[in-house]
Amino acid sequence: MHLKAGCYNINSLTENGGGTLYIDSGPVVVNIAGTGQSTPFDLTGGGMINTVTPKFDPMSFQILYAGTGTIKLKSGASAVGLMYAPNASYSLGGGADWYGALIGATLTDMGGAAIHYDRKLQKEDYIPGSWMLDSFTWKKD
């Protein structure tokens, strides 16, 4: 499946059996609701999320999830992106690779998984939607 730049609202994402989700242009922002799902994000069995242009740019694919379900990345699966799921638990293992950054409540390492943090994320980010003033200070001269 191919996605172009935009915001997508879905309930859950499961990709396994060697399936691939291509990010043709970014940023792609996916909001996951997770209603009635104990595992709202499941990437296993060689599934892959790949940013096509530019390659391996984690800012091109962002996942937002506010629930408490489990995020799975196992069995040779790999993904490039940012996942912000501060209340979720992560279960990683079996040769899985995540390129970018993960934010969550807990992480269980089942062995053989790796998170490859992209240091470029320290200096750059995307803001979905219009820019808004986020801080202000009075300076007395």
Side-chain angles (χ1 to χ4, degrees):
M1 182 157 88
H2 293 260
L3 294 178
K4 296 193 181 297
C7 291
Y8 299 85
N9 298 312
I10 63 173
N11 191 53
S12 63
L13 176 66
T14 300
E15 187 174 20
N16 53 38
T20 302
L21 176 64
Y22 295 99
I23 307 303
D24 292 329
S25 63
V28 168
V29 178
V30 176
N31 297 303
I32 298 178
T35 304
Q37 303 287 322
S38 60
T39 308
F41 183 89
D42 187 354
L43 188 59
T44 57
M48 182 170 64
I49 298 175
N50 185 19
T51 58
V52 176
T53 307
K55 285 204 174 259
F56 283 91
D57 181 3
M59 293 184 301
S60 294
F61 184 59
Q62 301 174 35
I63 301 167
L64 308 172
Y65 171 60
T68 58
T70 301
I71 309 292
K72 288 186 182 178
L73 186 66
K74 298 180 179 182
S75 304
S78 65
V80 178
L82 306 174
M83 182 173 287
Y84 181 74
N87 303 314
S89 59
Y90 289 85
S91 179
L92 307 176
D97 287 297
W98 186 276
Y99 299 88
L102 299 172
I103 296 175
T106 62
L107 183 132
T108 302
D109 182 2
M110 307 298 281
I115 300 171
H116 309 276
Y117 177 70
D118 189 336
R119 285 187 265 168
K120 182 171 67 170
L121 297 172
Q122 295 172 350
K123 298 178 184 173
E124 298 179 30
D125 62 358
Y126 284 138
I127 299 172
S130 301
W131 183 85
M132 293 174 37
L133 180 67
D134 62 0
S135 64
F136 180 81
T137 174
W138 289 98
K139 183 177 179 184
K140 189 174 182 178
D141 290 327

